[in-house]
Amino acid sequence: MMLETSTAGAPAHTRHRLAWLDQLAYELFRVTGRSQLMQCLWLYDRDVNRAALVQTYERLTALSFNRLIESSPLPWGRPRWVKPAAGSIPFEQSSDLLPRSQLLQWANRQARAPMDPVIGPAGRMAIQPFDDGSTAVSIVGSHLLLDGMGALRVIASAVNGTGVPNPYLPKGARGRLSGCLSDAWQILADAPQTVAALARIAHANWHRRAAPEKGPAFAAVEAGHDPSTIVELPAVAVTVESRAWFACEQRLGGGMSTLLPGFVASLASSLGRRRCSDGAVSLLVPRSRRRGLADERALAIEFHMMNVAPEGLTKSLEPVNAARALLRGARKSQTDVLTSLLPAIAWMPRTAAKTLVNGLFDYSDELPVSCSDLGMLPEGLARIDGAPCRHLLTRAVDVNVSRQDLERSHGHLVVVASRYDQKVSLCIEACQLHPTPTTADELRLLVARTLADFGLEAVIDA
């Protein structure tokens, strides 16, 4: 995908604008109100060094993580990154003790606190002591600001005292006239790509009308349910010893990093997320394409689809080995399909952007499952208070999710994996709507059964 970032000598109308993929994500947020967040949790066996944490917080607010989106004053202008007011990332320091068993409930409350990438705040930081003497630190941010790997690198740079200072103009600093002129030039500069993208969309729609009709991309919400009802998605956090994890991978004949997709495919099968056509599980696998800390894109990633037959994975990971080999040989990603259409985003009705994404991932057939492996976490990330923490979790959190959204996607399953200090962590967010929405206890039991099927012992927080 084209790298859209600013340089010192770039024309004014090109500076700090959102890349097209970021703009698409922004438009979807405006249509649905659904927030996709990332959260990093540090757990210490002691009280934390609050002075060092304040220093990390101050460094973080001075970096590009602390930014907001400002819409263009023109109807078809592109939004831009701006600098918010000072202290726009709230920092909550609680002194009230909570039971240690409530770690994930506290983390969920932090993630569900008000956040907005336009009016702010778009991120939060918090400290929470527990009754066993441990302390947790949480940082939550919107995916409209950065993807997971980008956020981890920025936080690590704040811990290490490095990074790229916030380069953006304050919100509203351009002035309406200056903003209109600058954005008008941007519209003219984008015009050739915009026209070509609109032509491709029109051509695709013409051929779609000529083709036989497929089934609906989403099911109607069942009678008796309010489609606007907000559903809180249950989540669990799993911790497995690295030695046991890699021994299981080797025992099942898997290659490097094949146990995760095998585990996720088995879990997805138990949740009914299998393709209608052949019963396979479609794993949506992101790959980072970030080019250093100066890369301004929020979503510097590509999405690839890996199809895995879930039968027998607890006995052999050979189907995953084969699927990974096909994935390595694939020349096109799901993101590539979008790339040529993105310049038309600003000219499309917001609901049309949602339809475009629904068609791309074809929820009626594929039932995609997000499977993200962050690998070994960046050096220095664990020392957020100046010394290494005991445990480190990274997870994805979806909030303000309507029942209608879940009916459209036939449920939900997102798994984020990472490694730190001889431990593999899996943070799982999932929901199956029928016959009734999945509860946290039900998800915990289902995950425990899947772990047992693979012969893995783990600690599960829910």
Side-chain angles (χ1 to χ4, degrees):
M1 177 172 290
M2 181 187 301
L3 176 63
E4 294 186 283
T5 189
S6 300
T7 60
H13 65 266
T14 68
R15 292 177 193 163
H16 310 316
R17 67 194 187 277
L18 268 66
W20 282 310
L21 185 59
D22 300 341
Q23 186 171 343
L24 173 61
Y26 171 54
E27 295 296 344
L28 291 176
F29 166 74
R30 295 169 79 185
V31 171
T32 65
R34 178 173 180 166
S35 293
Q36 295 181 308
L37 311 172
M38 56 210 161
Q39 184 174 36
C40 197
L41 294 168
W42 294 258
L43 188 65
Y44 286 87
D45 283 332
R46 53 171 173 79
D47 193 9
V48 291
N49 183 336
R50 300 199 176 217
L53 276 172
V54 168
Q55 186 178 46
T56 298
Y57 167 77
E58 290 173 347
R59 289 171 176 167
L60 190 61
T61 58
L63 300 179
S64 57
F65 181 85
N66 187 20
R67 61 185 181 178
L68 295 174
I69 296 171
E70 183 177 65
S71 297
S72 170
L74 298 180
W76 299 291
R78 290 171 67 177
R80 294 173 187 272
W81 299 115
V82 292
K83 182 185 298 184
S88 63
I89 300 178
F91 188 10
E92 176 187 310
Q93 300 187 55
S94 175
S95 57
D96 297 330
L97 296 180
L98 288 178
R100 170 61 181 80
S101 60
Q102 292 187 13
L103 169 65
L104 216 56
Q105 291 95 314
W106 170 77
N108 288 336
R109 288 196 294 274
Q110 290 299 314
R112 293 184 175 109
M115 275 186 284
D116 192 299
V118 178
I119 62 175
R124 289 182 174 274
M125 185 170 176
I127 304 171
Q128 177 60 53
F130 294 98
D131 59 2
D132 65 348
S134 64
T135 309
V137 179
S138 164
I139 294 181
V140 186
S142 169
H143 263 308
L144 292 180
L145 297 184
L146 279 171
D147 55 48
M149 187 57 73
L152 294 179
R153 288 178 178 176
V154 169
I155 295 170
S157 70
V159 170
N160 296 330
T162 59
V164 178
N166 191 316
Y168 308 117
L169 294 172
K171 189 173 183 178
R174 287 198 303 165
R176 185 166 183 83
L177 178 59
S178 174
C180 285
L181 290 173
S182 178
D183 290 358
W185 278 112
Q186 182 67 60
I187 291 170
L188 289 173
D190 290 340
Q193 293 165 298
T194 301
V195 170
L198 289 169
R200 280 188 286 268
I201 291 171
H203 183 265
N205 286 337
W206 175 269
H207 285 277
R208 188 176 296 116
R209 282 194 295 269
E213 286 293 320
K214 291 179 65 176
F218 58 88
V221 177
E222 285 188 347
H225 294 290
D226 182 353
S228 63
T229 299
I230 299 303
V231 180
E232 289 196 3
L233 302 176
V236 299
V238 177
T239 303
V240 183
E241 294 292 335
S242 296
R243 182 180 299 177
W245 181 268
F246 294 124
C248 177
E249 193 170 59
Q250 186 175 25
R251 172 170 52 83
L252 298 179
M256 182 63 69
S257 302
T258 53
L259 180 54
L260 176 64
F263 175 86
V264 175
S266 292
L267 181 61
S269 179
S270 300
L271 282 163
R273 296 196 67 78
R274 300 177 63 167
R275 294 197 313 203
C276 302
S277 58
D278 58 5
V281 174
S282 298
L283 300 179
L284 198 60
V285 181
R287 286 180 172 174
S288 178
R289 292 294 181 261
R290 189 164 298 280
R291 306 183 187 183
L293 291 172
D295 188 338
E296 290 190 347
R297 292 175 296 173
L299 302 175
I301 48 181
E302 290 178 352
F303 292 100
H304 294 259
M305 197 74 86
M306 183 165 71
N307 301 313
V308 179
E311 292 86 0
L313 292 177
T314 58
K315 305 297 181 184
S316 172
L317 289 172
E318 184 54 40
V320 182
N321 294 337
R324 283 181 63 88
L326 288 174
L327 186 63
R328 283 194 298 270
R331 294 185 177 182
K332 288 194 174 184
S333 69
Q334 295 294 109
T335 317
D336 291 332
V337 181
L338 267 180
T339 302
S340 63
L341 308 180
L342 288 176
I345 293 301
W347 295 80
M348 295 170 64
R350 291 177 189 170
T351 51
K354 184 177 179 181
T355 302
L356 183 66
V357 173
N358 288 346
L360 174 66
F361 296 116
D362 198 0
Y363 285 107
S364 62
D365 293 331
E366 299 291 343
L367 301 184
V369 173
S370 181
C371 178
S372 179
D373 187 357
L374 298 175
M376 188 64 70
L377 295 176
E379 182 70 24
L381 180 69
R383 300 193 302 269
I384 195 165
D385 86 331
C389 63
R390 180 177 66 82
H391 196 33
L392 187 55
L393 292 173
T394 55
R395 66 189 199 127
V397 186
D398 285 56
V399 301
N400 203 31
V401 181
S402 70
R403 184 173 180 104
Q404 184 176 46
D405 267 348
L406 289 175
E407 292 281 2
R408 173 183 60 83
S409 60
H410 303 283
H412 176 85
L413 177 56
V414 173
V415 181
V416 178
S418 59
R419 299 199 310 276
Y420 166 69
D421 191 29
Q422 306 305 311
K423 291 181 177 64
V424 174
S425 298
L426 310 177
C427 289
I428 303 166
E429 184 182 70
C431 186
Q432 184 179 18
L433 281 175
H434 306 293
T436 57
T438 308
T439 66
D441 286 342
E442 289 169 343
L443 178 59
R444 181 175 190 157
L445 181 59
L446 186 60
V447 169
R449 286 174 178 168
T450 308
L451 288 164
D453 289 343
F454 279 90
L456 290 168
E457 293 185 358
V459 175
I460 304 176
D461 283 298

